[in-house]
Amino acid sequence: MAIFKFNNDSFEKVEQTQFSNEGILERQHIQNALKKQIDVIAPDILIISEEFSEWSDSKRRIDLLGVDKEGNIVVIELKRTETGEHMDLQAIRYASMVSTLTFIRAVEIFSKYLQTIESELNAEDELSSFVGDNIENFASDVRIILVSSDFSKELTTSVMWLNERDLDIVSLPLNHTSLNGTIHL
């Protein structure tokens, strides 16, 4: 979708650019901003970890790990590339790895995260308050959110096919324009 700037009585097309051309990095810039304002891409999610990698025999990392108001685990995978490069497979792998999280384990993970961001919040109180009555069904499902500049046809087709089979996976394009660093969702 094109973006236009209105100038007096005419429209000027704003050119898109790539994050790499603007020096915008995935982890240091995009991920850092999204963890602070996740509602920009997904309302009603509480981030409980960043770069989560507490597995046996694996060095893989979930960019952002969250919980939604229904108590579902949310895996958020980010790429600043033009195609999304196999992020669907990566996120499915991560979703399966966190699918067995318990509320107690999520509190431990969240507590560590709060320490890293130097927050004095109580992880158990915050998580309990956030999910409310849904604590009884905590982690009954895992949602996946993919965020990239663009998505290849293969990735888009995979996401559509998985949605038809009731896997909650969405792909959100995140584009950068040359108009004062504007980000377009």
Side-chain angles (χ1 to χ4, degrees):
M1 173 192 300
I3 298 175
F4 295 90
K5 177 182 172 186
F6 185 72
N7 191 7
N8 295 330
D9 62 349
S10 65
F11 294 101
E12 293 177 41
K13 185 175 181 182
V14 176
E15 295 301 319
Q16 284 190 356
T17 183
Q18 295 179 359
F19 287 115
S20 57
N21 293 346
E22 302 298 319
I24 296 174
L25 302 175
E26 179 182 312
R27 188 174 300 152
Q28 291 87 341
H29 299 123
I30 299 169
Q31 183 171 311
N32 192 43
L34 285 176
K35 77 179 179 186
K36 295 173 187 171
Q37 291 182 285
I38 196 63
D39 58 317
V40 167
I41 61 165
D44 295 328
I45 290 180
L46 175 66
I47 298 300
I48 64 168
S49 188
E50 176 182 23
E51 294 297 316
F52 180 77
S53 63
E54 295 180 21
W55 342 93
S56 321
D57 303 325
S58 178
K59 295 182 182 192
R60 301 193 180 272
R61 297 171 181 231
I62 297 174
D63 293 333
L64 296 171
L65 181 63
V67 174
D68 68 15
K69 288 276 191 184
E70 286 75 43
N72 298 313
I73 303 299
V74 182
V75 171
I76 302 166
E77 191 58 31
L78 311 168
K79 296 280 186 241
R80 73 174 186 159
T81 62
E82 297 297 307
T83 63
E85 298 172 355
H86 306 293
M87 67 190 307
D88 51 340
L89 300 175
Q90 189 177 6
I92 290 168
R93 183 180 302 132
Y94 295 156
S96 70
M97 293 167 88
V98 296
S99 66
T100 59
L101 277 183
T102 63
F103 179 79
I104 305 268
R105 182 68 181 115
V107 167
E108 292 169 359
I109 292 165
F110 190 30
S111 182
K112 286 181 186 179
Y113 174 66
L114 289 173
Q115 288 174 2
T116 65
I117 63 170
E118 299 177 353
S119 172
E120 293 184 16
L121 295 174
N122 178 286
E124 185 170 2
D125 292 346
E126 290 299 312
L127 192 52
S128 295
S129 175
F130 186 77
V131 298
D133 293 337
N134 294 313
I135 198 167
E136 304 225 358
N137 295 322
F138 189 81
S140 62
D141 203 359
V142 180
R143 295 173 48 201
I144 298 172
I145 299 174
L146 307 174
V147 180
S148 180
S149 293
D150 204 356
F151 298 96
S152 67
K153 191 173 202 169
E154 292 88 358
L155 189 142
T156 303
T157 303
S158 297
V159 166
M160 290 170 44
W161 185 80
L162 290 166
N163 275 318
E164 289 172 1
R165 280 144 186 84
D166 294 328
L167 180 65
D168 191 345
I169 180 171
V170 296
S171 53
L172 301 172
L174 184 68
N175 298 302
H176 186 267
T177 68
S178 59
L179 179 64
N180 299 323
T182 302
I183 302 291
H184 178 258
L185 296 171

Short mmCIF file of all heavy atoms in Angstrom, two decimals, residues 10 30 40 59 67 86 90 99 101 119 131 137:
data_model
loop_
_atom_site.label_atom_id
_atom_site.label_comp_id
_atom_site.label_asym_id
_atom_site.label_seq_id
_atom_site.Cartn_x
_atom_site.Cartn_y
_atom_site.Cartn_z
N SER A 10 -2.14 18.83 -3.26
CA SER A 10 -1.70 17.66 -4.02
C SER A 10 -1.12 16.59 -3.09
O SER A 10 -0.79 16.86 -1.94
CB SER A 10 -0.65 18.06 -5.05
OG SER A 10 0.52 18.53 -4.40
N ILE A 30 14.20 -2.15 16.46
CA ILE A 30 12.81 -2.59 16.30
C ILE A 30 12.34 -3.37 17.53
O ILE A 30 11.30 -3.07 18.11
CB ILE A 30 12.65 -3.43 15.01
CG1 ILE A 30 13.03 -2.59 13.79
CG2 ILE A 30 11.22 -3.95 14.90
CD1 ILE A 30 13.15 -3.37 12.50
N VAL A 40 1.47 -1.54 19.71
CA VAL A 40 1.58 -1.02 18.34
C VAL A 40 1.24 -2.12 17.33
O VAL A 40 0.61 -1.86 16.31
CB VAL A 40 3.01 -0.47 18.08
CG1 VAL A 40 3.26 -0.20 16.61
CG2 VAL A 40 3.25 0.78 18.91
N LYS A 59 20.36 -23.38 21.42
CA LYS A 59 20.76 -21.99 21.63
C LYS A 59 19.81 -21.02 20.93
O LYS A 59 20.12 -19.86 20.75
CB LYS A 59 22.19 -21.78 21.13
CG LYS A 59 23.17 -22.57 21.94
CD LYS A 59 24.58 -22.34 21.51
CE LYS A 59 25.46 -23.23 22.36
NZ LYS A 59 26.83 -22.97 22.28
N VAL A 67 2.30 -12.96 26.89
CA VAL A 67 1.08 -13.62 27.32
C VAL A 67 -0.05 -12.68 26.95
O VAL A 67 0.08 -11.46 27.11
CB VAL A 67 1.09 -13.87 28.84
CG1 VAL A 67 -0.23 -14.44 29.32
CG2 VAL A 67 2.23 -14.78 29.24
N HIS A 86 12.08 -17.81 6.43
CA HIS A 86 11.80 -19.02 7.23
C HIS A 86 11.37 -18.72 8.66
O HIS A 86 11.45 -19.59 9.52
CB HIS A 86 13.00 -19.96 7.24
CG HIS A 86 13.50 -20.32 5.88
ND1 HIS A 86 12.75 -21.08 5.01
CD2 HIS A 86 14.64 -20.00 5.23
CE1 HIS A 86 13.43 -21.22 3.88
NE2 HIS A 86 14.57 -20.56 3.99
N GLN A 90 10.66 -21.19 12.16
CA GLN A 90 11.34 -20.84 13.40
C GLN A 90 10.32 -20.60 14.52
O GLN A 90 10.45 -21.13 15.62
CB GLN A 90 12.18 -19.59 13.14
CG GLN A 90 13.11 -19.18 14.22
CD GLN A 90 13.94 -17.96 13.81
OE1 GLN A 90 13.73 -17.36 12.75
NE2 GLN A 90 14.87 -17.59 14.65
N SER A 99 5.06 -24.46 24.59
CA SER A 99 3.66 -24.89 24.73
C SER A 99 3.36 -25.54 26.07
O SER A 99 2.21 -25.62 26.47
CB SER A 99 3.28 -25.85 23.59
OG SER A 99 4.02 -27.05 23.70
N LEU A 101 4.59 -24.43 29.01
CA LEU A 101 4.82 -23.50 30.12
C LEU A 101 3.67 -23.54 31.11
O LEU A 101 2.51 -23.56 30.72
CB LEU A 101 4.96 -22.06 29.62
CG LEU A 101 6.29 -21.59 29.09
CD1 LEU A 101 6.22 -20.12 28.72
CD2 LEU A 101 7.41 -21.82 30.07
N SER A 119 13.00 -3.31 36.74
CA SER A 119 11.66 -2.99 37.22
C SER A 119 11.47 -3.61 38.60
O SER A 119 11.93 -4.72 38.86
CB SER A 119 10.60 -3.55 36.27
OG SER A 119 9.31 -3.41 36.82
N VAL A 131 -3.91 -11.55 33.44
CA VAL A 131 -4.75 -12.61 32.87
C VAL A 131 -6.06 -12.78 33.61
O VAL A 131 -6.99 -13.39 33.09
CB VAL A 131 -4.00 -13.96 32.75
CG1 VAL A 131 -2.81 -13.84 31.84
CG2 VAL A 131 -3.61 -14.53 34.09
N ASN A 137 -6.86 -21.40 32.87
CA ASN A 137 -6.58 -21.99 31.55
C ASN A 137 -5.25 -21.49 31.00
O ASN A 137 -5.05 -21.46 29.78
CB ASN A 137 -7.69 -21.62 30.56
CG ASN A 137 -9.01 -22.24 30.95
OD1 ASN A 137 -9.06 -23.37 31.42
ND2 ASN A 137 -10.08 -21.49 30.79
#
